[in-house]
Amino acid sequence: MTTLQTVFEKARADRRAALVGYLPAGFPTKDGAIAAATAMVEAGCDVIEIGLPYSDPLMDGPTIQAAVHTALTGGTRIADVMHTVEGVAKTGAAVLVMTYWNPIDRYGAERFARELANAGGVGTITPDLTPEEAGPWRRFSAEAGIDTVFLVAPSSTDERIQAVADCCTGFVYAASLMGVTGARASVSVAAAGLVERTRTHTGLPVCVGLGVGTGAQAAEVAGYADGVIVGSAFIRRLLDAPDEAAGLSAVRELAAELAAGVRA
């Protein structure tokens, strides 16, 4: 199993940033999610985040909301998320689950961590779980051998960044802006400063997400971050495709463009 540590060590040796792609389980279909994520890996993604579809997506913009709606109406459940992780992990990429806390809590945190590890997942990103409430989840994750990733934002104080970084293993997720997910015309100017501040509090890699959608933007972020996270741009390619084959071709093309960007 490829670990996050291995991914970032290899990227560092190659003098580049890691490329992290996001896609919800169950989108465009249950099998289609595995196929799309596999195409993303084959074209250059080092890490895949599998989103757990949830009915109250607090930080997700309209593009991801549309994909999540498709997944939920298609009957996607946690068992399908684990199946997706298992399928994508076979590509050799490091696979995380990105999820809000409530589904884990309802499912059973210890059970979720154990099943994720058994499926080949290497960790989770939990955007709405605060450091103050993360103790049990960190313990269950450590026992299962999976990483925990939490978010810092441009509004985070130095004290808050330290508290979040202390909860992280694998990497720290730096949200480039105050707002919801979505590809944008430019990446927030606050991102570079946030990465710099975060590095004063941790030796972990710092990855930037929210707003990246082109190879040029990936190259820009790769100039100061250890990893570049892209989600909505991949989903938009699938939403706009006339059929699944065209969608796979489109995400493969975008992944190749982004992969070239992080290597520029």
Side-chain angles (χ1 to χ4, degrees):
M1 183 177 67
T2 303
T3 66
L4 289 173
Q5 182 180 7
T6 301
V7 167
F8 288 106
E9 285 177 350
K10 184 179 186 304
R12 196 174 301 115
D14 293 342
R15 303 178 66 83
R16 65 174 179 87
L19 178 58
V20 183
Y22 166 90
L23 199 66
F27 174 79
T29 63
K30 293 177 183 179
D31 290 339
I34 297 174
T38 298
M40 290 156 63
V41 174
E42 290 173 349
C45 284
D46 303 289
V47 179
I48 296 293
E49 299 174 12
I50 297 299
L52 192 158
Y54 182 52
S55 58
D56 190 19
L58 299 176
M59 70 172 284
D60 295 335
T63 300
I64 292 180
Q65 285 186 31
V68 166
H69 177 73
T70 296
L72 289 173
T73 56
T76 303
R77 300 292 183 264
I78 288 179
D80 301 306
V81 175
M82 298 300 178
H83 178 69
T84 304
V85 169
E86 186 175 22
V88 179
K90 291 177 181 177
T91 65
V95 184
L96 298 155
V97 166
M98 186 164 187
T99 177
Y100 297 100
W101 176 244
N102 189 56
I104 294 179
D105 191 39
R106 292 289 299 274
Y107 193 72
E110 185 174 13
R111 176 189 177 194
F112 190 97
R114 182 178 64 251
E115 291 187 5
L116 178 56
N118 289 341
V122 301
T124 58
I125 303 170
T126 47
D128 63 340
L129 181 61
T130 64
E132 292 81 5
E133 299 177 338
W137 177 238
R138 292 172 62 198
R139 183 174 70 254
F140 293 137
S141 296
E143 290 171 355
I146 61 174
D147 285 313
T148 51
V149 177
F150 295 83
L151 277 69
V152 294
S155 62
S156 299
T157 64
D158 287 343
E159 291 76 15
R160 195 63 181 175
I161 290 174
Q162 185 67 68
V164 171
D166 287 345
C167 291
C168 290
T169 63
F171 65 90
V172 180
Y173 189 127
S176 68
L177 47 81
M178 301 300 295
V180 296
T181 60
R184 290 170 170 82
S186 62
V187 180
S188 169
V189 295
L194 177 59
V195 171
E196 184 177 358
R197 285 202 296 140
T198 302
R199 283 182 173 151
T200 66
H201 297 281
T202 181
L204 289 171
V206 182
C207 300
V208 170
L210 276 67
V212 180
T214 67
Q217 291 171 336
E220 176 189 346
V221 174
Y224 56 79
D226 300 293
V228 180
I229 302 171
V230 181
S232 295
F234 282 117
I235 291 170
R236 176 48 57 191
R237 294 289 180 103
L238 291 169
L239 287 170
D240 290 346
D243 53 49
E244 184 171 323
L248 291 178
S249 178
V251 296
R252 187 177 285 109
E253 179 183 28
L254 177 59
E257 177 188 337
L258 295 165
V262 300
R263 289 165 171 79

